[in-house]
Amino acid sequence: MVQPLKSQGDSSPTGTPVPRRAWLTLALATVGFAVNFWAWALLSPLGPRFKDSLDLSSFQQSLLVAVPVVVGSLGRIPVGALTDRFGGRVMFPIVSAATIVPVLYLGLAGHDSLAALLAGGFFLGIGGTAFAVGVPLVNAWFPPERRGLAIGLFGAGMGGTAISALTTVKLVDAHRMSTPFLITAAVLAVYAVTAALLLRDAPGRTVPTESPARRLAAVLRLPITWQASALYAVAFGGYVAFSVYLPTYLKTGYDLSQADAANRMAGFVLLAVAMRPVGGWLSDRTGPVRVLAGALAVVVAGAVMQSFTLPLAPVGTVAFLSMAAALGAGSGATFALVARRTPADQVGSVTGVVGAAGGLGGFLPPLVMGSLYGEYGTYAAGLVLLAIVAAAALTFTLTGVRTAPDGGDREPRTGGRGGHRPARSAA
């Protein structure tokens, strides 16, 4: 791990110096994450427009939005493994440059038919894999007692989806269909060049020598992989689900205008994004299990409260914003847990699997909410189901995760020439 000189940067709470290069890497990685997520989310705001212009069914519209999400989520598994092997310095510019191709295709030629949109959306999923590049890159630069905050700050890059939600439709209305895609492609190109010039992998980075298949098999044997996947599917999956479905919920359940519903959704997203680094920071100080337990308890309470479809002002707003804050903090705490309990040379691979679980966790709830509303004419059943799932995750956090074979929620060990080793997971 990193062994910088004291003159290179500031110090962590336990006196371990953090080099200035680490903070630069964190900033560059966060920007890259946001830019790639901006590109990844370009189709979602335009879904209603494509539905009207191409006469799509509701299922076809859902499929159009879902394809980049599914591909981006599953693609994190191989991209995380490749990051372990080649490093974030190589992978971030590659992922960013590769995402330019489908962005330009969709903006210039691929928006005139459903088949073309699905093909472009499939490759647009590449942008969603950036998360699996940034976590191991940032993780390697920071000592264990600072990784929760660092990974939480990096995770705030998920706010790139808010950039897309707030700008894509406005740019199309003001100019033409290609405008948001051309702007995003240009930003991706600038970032890819900047990352290639300035990004550096941490000194002493452990490079795995086994084949990707054997490394994936080893990762799947780690308890932390499955524990964090389950928790992230609820925390980040809940965030993704609400960020996608909340406008529909508010428009249908409270008869809000599309613009008002979109603005409220943006508030939900921004609060969740802001709370992600807070969750990581709190995890560094009190332990990720405590933060996760508190966050999941808030989600249970908020979902139960909102299942009664109380007035939006103020009770409904309080319920939704409380859940936004809790889901953001819980997402940050989950990766603080990953940073503590994953061997250094497997962080990318574990991140890939856990990130995939989080993305896929956000795919199913909107479909369930829509189906239950169609069956019962109310969203109450869907929110009760969310409360049950969050309560199950809370119980698991307080039992299975706390009694993990690595010793639970203890502080990471230190040793060896002032360096740090993460608490090892049982394998």
Side-chain angles (χ1 to χ4, degrees):
M1 294 302 296
V2 187
Q3 300 165 1
L5 298 174
K6 287 186 180 296
S7 60
Q8 287 181 291
D10 66 351
S11 294
S12 71
T14 59
T16 304
V18 178
R20 282 186 285 272
R21 169 63 69 174
W23 297 110
L24 174 61
T25 300
L26 172 59
L28 288 171
T30 304
V31 171
F33 181 25
V35 169
N36 278 276
F37 256 43
W38 176 10
W40 190 39
L42 280 171
L43 288 181
S44 181
L46 296 172
R49 187 180 298 260
F50 288 132
K51 181 180 181 181
D52 294 337
S53 64
L54 300 177
D55 194 25
L56 304 180
S57 67
S58 295
F59 174 78
Q60 288 172 326
Q61 180 188 351
S62 299
L63 184 64
L64 174 63
V65 174
V67 165
V69 173
V70 173
V71 174
S73 298
L74 294 177
R76 293 174 187 178
I77 297 175
V79 168
L82 288 171
T83 302
D84 279 340
R85 178 65 180 86
F86 297 106
R89 181 187 182 185
V90 171
M91 292 301 298
F92 238 136
I94 288 177
V95 167
S96 302
T99 304
I100 295 173
V101 177
V103 169
L104 288 177
Y105 168 75
L106 287 167
L108 298 175
H111 54 260
D112 294 329
S113 71
L114 176 61
L117 284 167
L118 290 176
F122 181 91
F123 290 101
L124 192 64
I126 296 171
T129 68
F131 180 73
V133 178
V135 170
L137 173 66
V138 171
N139 185 79
W141 272 105
F142 286 83
E145 66 273 13
R146 293 293 282 270
R147 287 177 184 157
L149 174 61
I151 298 301
L153 288 169
F154 166 75
M158 68 186 188
T161 57
I163 299 175
S164 180
L166 294 172
T167 63
T168 302
V169 174
K170 293 177 181 177
L171 287 170
V172 171
D173 289 341
H175 301 281
R176 53 186 178 179
M177 179 62 70
S178 62
T179 302
F181 295 90
L182 293 175
I183 291 174
T184 308
V187 175
L188 281 166
V190 171
Y191 177 76
V193 173
T194 302
L197 294 174
L198 298 181
L199 272 184
R200 297 290 185 273
D201 290 310
R205 184 179 72 88
T206 304
V207 180
T209 57
E210 294 181 319
S211 68
R214 293 190 65 178
R215 281 189 283 130
L216 179 59
V219 161
L220 294 178
R221 290 194 295 268
L222 294 174
I224 184 59
T225 303
W226 298 105
Q227 293 169 357
S229 292
L231 295 171
Y232 204 57
V234 177
F236 186 70
Y239 158 79
V240 172
F242 275 121
S243 66
V244 170
Y245 198 72
L246 192 56
T248 300
Y249 175 95
L250 293 173
K251 189 173 184 298
T252 304
Y254 289 95
D255 198 29
L256 298 185
S257 68
Q258 186 173 355
D260 192 9
N263 289 335
R264 291 173 187 265
M265 182 273 286
F268 181 97
V269 168
L270 292 174
L271 179 58
V273 167
M275 286 301 295
R276 184 157 181 158
V278 174
W281 176 78
L282 288 172
S283 296
D284 287 339
R285 281 149 181 77
T286 67
V289 167
R290 292 185 181 90
V291 178
L292 277 163
L296 290 167
V298 171
V299 174
V300 172
V304 170
M305 184 187 306
Q306 191 55 31
S307 69
F308 293 100
T309 317
L310 300 173
L312 193 58
V315 182
T317 299
V318 171
F320 276 118
L321 291 182
S322 297
M323 286 192 286
L327 292 169
S331 297
T334 301
F335 271 94
L337 189 69
V338 169
R340 283 192 178 196
R341 298 185 181 174
T342 305
D345 60 344
Q346 293 178 301
V347 172
S349 298
V350 172
T351 297
V353 176
V354 175
L360 294 176
F363 172 68
L364 185 60
L367 301 179
V368 173
M369 292 285 281
S371 298
L372 290 174
Y373 184 83
E375 182 70 22
Y376 301 108
T378 176
Y379 288 112
L383 287 159
V384 168
L385 186 58
L386 170 62
I388 293 172
V389 171
L394 173 59
T395 302
F396 174 66
T397 300
L398 295 174
T399 56
V401 176
R402 184 175 292 281
T403 57
D406 68 355
D409 212 26
R410 71 187 178 207
E411 290 300 313
R413 295 188 299 247
T414 61
R417 296 173 56 193
H420 286 255
R421 296 193 302 270
R424 298 186 64 85
S425 302

